[in-house]
Amino acid sequence: MALWTLFGLARGRASSAWPEGDAQAAGQHGVQGMPLVTAQTCAESCAACVAACPTDALRRVELPAAADAVPRHGIALDYGRCIACQRCVEVCPGGTLQASEDWALGTRTRADLQFDPQAAPAPLDGTALALQNAIARRFRHSLHIRHVDAGSCNGCESELQALMNPFYNLHRLGIFFTASPRAADLLLVTGTVTEPMRAPLRAAWEAMPEPKWVMAMGACAISGGMAREGYAGGSGLQELIPVDVYLPGCAPNPAAIMHALLLLLGRSEQHLHGGRSDG
Amino acid sequence: MSNMLVLHLRATDVPGNIENLLVQGGRMQMVYASSVDGRIEACYLAAPGAGKPFELWRVAVPPGGLPSMAAHVPLLGWYEREMQDLSGVGVLDHPEPYALVIERGTDPAPFFAAMDDGHYPAPHVLPEVEGDDVQELDFGPIRADVFESGQFRFFYIGERILRYHPRLFLKHRGMEKRFQGLVPDAAVVLAERVSGVGALAHALAFCQAIEDAAGIEAPPRARVWRSVLAEMERLYNHLHYLGVLADATTLKVGQAEGRLLEEQAKQLTARVCGHRLPMNVLRPGGLRRDLALPSDFVAHLGKLESASLRYLDQLEVTSSFLDRLHTTGSLPRQVAFDQGATGPVERASDLDRDLRRDHPYAAYAEHAPDVALHKDGDAYARYRVRGAELRASFVLLRHLLAHLAPGPVLAPCAVPADSIGLGWAESPRGSVYYVVHTDASGRLARVKIKSPSYSNWRVFPYTVHGTNMMDYAINEASFGSTIAGCDR
């Protein structure tokens, strides 16, 4: 064993400083982000992106006619359904949909994942935020997570397991995975929630002591993802258990997961409000 | 369509054809149900051997049901039960006649609900073991740490496991049915999400099946990129495997090193294709977009290679690690063949098969891998084979990257109506096959997926019965199967 101790020591420090440090520290160089809707109006009769979207994350919305009385429409985008497959960006003829490098898009409400060209984002509810932060401060220094796979493709697990590697080294932030739901503060759910996994998921949630939180990780857990509403079940956590943090993506990368966990603890800022990223 | 011959057989011809195939050194791959003009037919995929075309035997299901072949070809047992559960095909005289994938009772089968009149409900039976002092342990479906969901039932006395029964398919998402009605281009993202850690291999097998149906081939540059990404996927998966195996033997620094190297492989993958788990890259006909090789990519890959080789060397001299692997979870060659083991698991039991060499695709005809084999069939052999494959992947990547000539990355790929195609890939966990059937409008009518973890989970219990509790976690890690890939 002494050999391995030396081996490890000789390796030096491998951990990133993320969320501190520059973009390099996140380790996500080159990673595609979520698409952005850049302009409000699209070419008449074009719905190429809506047809191309495999998860119905996009829909056409009619906009009020302008002075020339020509009817117009725009595109609404639900990041809670988006799997960032980039198909909409590829088929968009007018450049309305653009690729981005935005991936740290965890939010505290489902509504914040929904972009609508007409609706301005709701103003922040200061009282709710203050209350959430007050609760969050109780866990400020430590968070214990019980993960439940409720029907994933294993992509989310692969990225969750990566949090424990020396690069992200989640423990340095005081965040740990725990075996027992009775010792957990947060239930972190991945997968579309298949019929046979509903009861075990519910049992894990009920076994957790109050106060408890739930995080829906990935498009599957938020909305059902690619496997939604099939014969095998699956529309995510909707109407099943209350969710405190939504993390869109497919699969969300480890830095994005850390951002969402820290958001829950009041230790990071939410970037997405009403479907609009503040960069 | 040149990847396989399609033969129309009667159900009574199947046993004789199977006999011939086995005598000539071939192997059955799977059987699934499809529908033609309102009738259900069973489609058997047979692999006559290296270099020979695959065969699809299409058999009209006789009234009353299909005779089970599981007693002759055990690996077909799960496929037959799945046909019964999902397609409502009655299977006669099955040695294990109970439900496998879903328990639908007398509800119509999801695939052919409209035309299914018999429904063939399968009883829900779990094998019971009774006797003085026999204890029963149900483990899962939610397990400690970050794991996929699956339930495992042990009947044991003290340390000794008498009988082991995994209860899988709790995560069954009905992915194959999701393909129905999609245009092939749109279905690639679905194939990528069947098994996230095999995204590239699944997308590749699917795209090649579509290309087979269309009778086209991807351009050379696209084929080299496909092999590059497939080997990048193998790198991060095998490094992950080594880290998990080190963890199972409580070698903590070894675990950390494996996971760190896996992370570096994922980051390199993202730099070259935009996704850590190489998704959103392939499309029938080639690639969705041309990729550029970052200027420092080869240098980073070289560093990862030397660190990986140092890591493998260090594991190989760690007796506490090796002691736990030798003789653990022994899988004899014959059992591996009969039950359908694939990938590193079968090669560790001395079955010399690798689709990259035996049926080259992408750029593997020009760049064939060295195929690693081992005779012992235990956890040590499985670890050695994966280690050797990791080394071989680095060598292969260097060759591939040196042959990345400029050129187009997409060929026109028009899929004919009412066509069939077969595609395959050797994923990090073994063989992936996709058979695609298109309808009158060229959309997908039926897509059947043969995934490696489905094969290897079928095999795994044979290495657990009669062993001891202490070795279980190490044995499971030494298989390195995913549950999503199995459950689909």
Side-chain angles (χ1 to χ4, degrees):
Chain A
M1 288 309 273
L3 277 176
W4 278 100
T5 308
L6 286 173
F7 185 95
L9 287 171
R11 248 335 204 140
R13 208 183 100 118
S15 293
S16 146
W18 171 262
E20 285 161 28
D22 55 10
Q24 199 71 28
Q28 308 307 316
H29 187 56
V31 169
Q32 295 167 334
M34 294 287 199
L36 286 177
V37 184
T38 53
Q40 290 212 337
T41 54
C42 300
E44 178 63 15
S45 81
C46 177
C49 59
V50 177
C53 180
T55 53
D56 301 328
L58 298 163
R59 78 189 149 80
R60 269 174 65 143
V61 286
E62 300 305 321
L63 299 177
D68 54 8
V70 178
R72 295 168 193 276
H73 72 269
I75 295 296
L77 168 56
D78 181 355
Y79 287 104
R81 290 186 167 215
C82 178
I83 58 168
C85 70
Q86 316 294 332
R87 278 174 57 80
C88 56
V89 175
E90 282 175 12
V91 300
C92 180
T96 306
L97 280 149
Q98 294 277 340
S100 85
E101 292 182 1
D102 292 345
W103 40 255
L105 298 181
T107 65
R108 279 175 154 155
T109 67
R110 184 73 178 84
D112 276 331
L113 293 174
Q114 282 158 338
F115 171 84
D116 188 309
Q118 280 179 292
L124 288 179
D125 184 342
T127 320
L129 196 64
L131 190 63
Q132 281 169 337
N133 283 335
I135 300 169
R137 270 194 293 278
R138 296 165 67 173
F139 298 100
R140 202 168 181 89
H141 301 292
S142 172
L143 180 78
H144 285 73
I145 308 171
R146 174 64 254 191
H147 160 253
V148 173
D149 160 20
S152 73
C153 76
N154 196 27
C156 283
E157 283 70 28
S158 181
E159 296 296 59
L160 276 172
Q161 287 162 353
L163 291 174
M164 272 78 81
N165 75 37
F167 183 81
Y168 302 104
N169 191 10
L170 190 67
H171 295 184
R172 78 192 148 89
L173 298 171
I175 304 176
F176 307 92
F177 284 89
T178 177
S180 170
R182 296 199 190 283
D185 308 307
L186 171 71
L187 188 70
L188 197 168
V189 184
T190 56
T192 187
V193 192
T194 56
E195 199 56 43
M197 283 310 296
R198 288 170 76 102
L201 173 66
R202 182 99 199 165
W205 182 69
E206 280 169 2
M208 287 169 64
E210 297 278 358
K212 57 189 173 188
W213 285 319
V214 175
M215 175 164 149
M217 173 181 167
C220 290
I222 297 174
S223 64
M226 292 298 299
R228 73 197 184 287
E229 292 153 23
Y231 67 84
S235 46
L237 293 176
Q238 303 173 85
E239 293 164 26
L240 205 62
I241 49 177
V243 176
D244 300 279
V245 170
Y246 298 86
L247 175 58
C250 182
N253 68 56
I257 305 171
M258 284 166 70
H259 171 265
L261 290 171
L262 293 173
L263 179 69
L264 186 76
L265 298 176
R267 287 158 64 184
S268 70
E269 295 295 321
Q270 182 173 325
H271 298 313
L272 197 66
H273 300 282
R276 288 161 172 84
S277 173
D278 60 19
Chain B
M1 179 197 44
S2 57
N3 283 347
M4 64 177 171
L5 306 169
V6 176
L7 308 172
H8 292 270
L9 302 183
R10 282 171 307 195
T12 47
D13 297 336
V14 172
N17 279 48
I18 287 179
E19 211 54 51
N20 279 338
L21 182 84
L22 294 177
V23 166
Q24 289 164 21
R27 191 189 206 185
M28 295 304 291
Q29 286 297 336
M30 62 172 166
V31 59
Y32 64 95
S34 183
S35 73
V36 181
D37 304 330
R39 288 180 300 105
I40 298 181
E41 65 177 23
C43 300
Y44 293 84
L45 183 66
K52 298 177 195 161
F54 292 89
E55 292 177 8
L56 191 73
W57 305 343
R58 302 180 69 168
V59 176
V61 175
L66 192 70
S68 170
M69 293 295 125
H72 308 291
V73 183
L75 70 87
L76 290 179
W78 272 21
Y79 292 98
E80 291 177 344
R81 287 161 68 189
E82 184 174 81
M83 277 202 294
Q84 182 150 317
D85 293 345
L86 300 183
S87 305
V89 172
V91 180
L92 310 175
D93 303 321
H94 197 291
E96 305 161 304
Y98 17 89
L100 178 73
V101 179
I102 54 168
E103 287 174 47
R104 62 181 168 83
T106 54
D107 289 347
F111 267 89
F112 308 116
M115 64 176 82
D116 170 25
D117 46 16
H119 297 335
Y120 298 99
H124 174 58
V125 180
L126 283 176
E128 294 293 335
V129 177
E130 285 173 16
D132 289 346
D133 303 325
V134 176
Q135 289 178 294
E136 188 185 319
L137 175 71
D138 279 314
F139 177 47
I142 301 173
R143 299 186 274 166
D145 207 339
V146 176
F147 269 117
E148 289 187 273
S149 291
Q151 197 172 24
F152 307 98
R153 174 171 287 195
F154 298 85
F155 296 97
Y156 65 105
I157 297 177
E159 262 298 298
R160 185 175 161 79
I161 301 167
L162 301 176
R163 189 89 194 158
Y164 164 76
H165 181 80
R167 186 177 168 223
L168 299 162
F169 303 100
L170 301 169
K171 287 175 55 152
H172 176 64
R173 291 164 288 155
M175 293 301 271
E176 287 173 10
K177 191 141 181 8
R178 289 265 145 210
F179 283 87
Q180 290 183 1
L182 293 180
V183 293
D185 266 5
V188 185
V189 291
L190 188 58
E192 287 168 341
R193 284 150 183 89
V194 169
S195 174
V197 294
L200 201 282
H202 277 262
L204 185 49
F206 173 74
C207 287
Q208 289 173 163
I210 297 295
E211 288 156 13
D212 183 39
I216 65 131
E217 198 180 37
R221 181 176 171 83
R223 286 190 278 119
V224 175
W225 266 124
R226 285 173 169 193
S227 283
V228 168
L229 295 173
E231 295 309 314
M232 291 300 292
E233 186 170 75
R234 197 177 321 279
L235 289 189
Y236 93 75
N237 269 289
H238 280 12
L239 289 165
H240 174 82
Y241 171 90
L242 294 169
V244 170
L245 195 62
D247 192 27
T249 60
T250 66
L251 190 65
K252 292 301 175 187
V253 184
Q255 181 229 164
E257 180 69 6
R259 294 193 169 201
L260 181 60
L261 296 173
E262 175 199 359
E263 175 63 25
Q264 290 169 353
K266 277 183 173 176
Q267 290 190 11
L268 267 181
T269 306
R271 284 198 59 197
V272 79
C273 78
H275 207 293
R276 290 161 56 85
L277 317 171
M279 294 180 174
N280 311 336
V281 198
L282 303 193
R283 139 178 210 185
L287 308 182
R288 282 168 63 177
R289 61 181 189 285
D290 198 3
L291 303 177
L293 196 69
S295 56
D296 55 355
F297 187 84
V298 174
H300 279 294
L301 192 65
K303 275 189 204 162
L304 181 63
E305 178 176 9
S306 46
S308 301
L309 298 187
R310 204 165 57 235
Y311 175 49
L312 284 170
D313 289 345
Q314 185 71 15
L315 287 173
E316 197 50 41
V317 295
T318 304
S319 56
S320 68
F321 174 71
L322 302 176
D323 283 352
R324 301 303 310 275
L325 303 181
H326 281 297
T327 72
T328 295
S330 185
L331 178 66
R333 187 175 193 276
Q334 191 64 43
V335 179
F337 181 82
D338 288 346
Q339 301 295 338
T342 185
V345 173
E346 69 172 328
R347 292 190 282 275
S349 291
D350 202 27
L351 291 173
D352 188 7
R353 311 166 73 93
D354 188 317
L355 287 170
R356 294 176 295 171
R357 180 201 59 198
D358 300 342
H359 299 275
Y361 55 93
Y364 291 117
E366 304 83 23
H367 306 278
D370 278 336
V371 177
L373 289 179
H374 208 284
K375 289 191 187 309
D376 291 357
D378 56 4
Y380 175 73
R382 292 189 281 276
Y383 140 78
R384 286 286 291 189
V385 165
R386 265 161 153 129
E389 289 184 10
L390 184 61
R391 292 171 198 266
S393 279
F394 281 113
V395 175
L396 204 50
L397 274 167
R398 265 188 270 122
H399 286 292
L400 288 163
L401 291 172
H403 288 82
L404 202 53
V409 292
L410 188 65
C413 183
V415 187
D418 297 317
S419 58
I420 302 184
L422 171 71
W424 58 81
E426 186 74 25
S427 83
R429 291 173 179 77
S431 58
V432 178
Y433 294 88
Y434 272 67
V435 187
V436 299
H437 299 241
T438 62
D439 65 13
S441 60
R443 287 174 176 262
L444 298 169
R446 175 78 170 102
V447 171
K448 176 60 198 171
I449 306 164
K450 185 249 167 227
S451 72
S453 289
Y454 185 86
S455 307
N456 286 337
W457 270 112
R458 154 100 200 166
V459 177
F460 179 61
Y462 294 91
T463 67
V464 182
H465 305 316
T467 63
N468 59 59
M469 286 288 200
M470 189 175 69
D471 288 341
Y472 175 79
I474 295 169
N475 188 19
E476 195 192 316
S478 81
F479 267 70
S481 304
T482 74
I483 295 180
C486 175
D487 293 4
R488 292 155 295 127

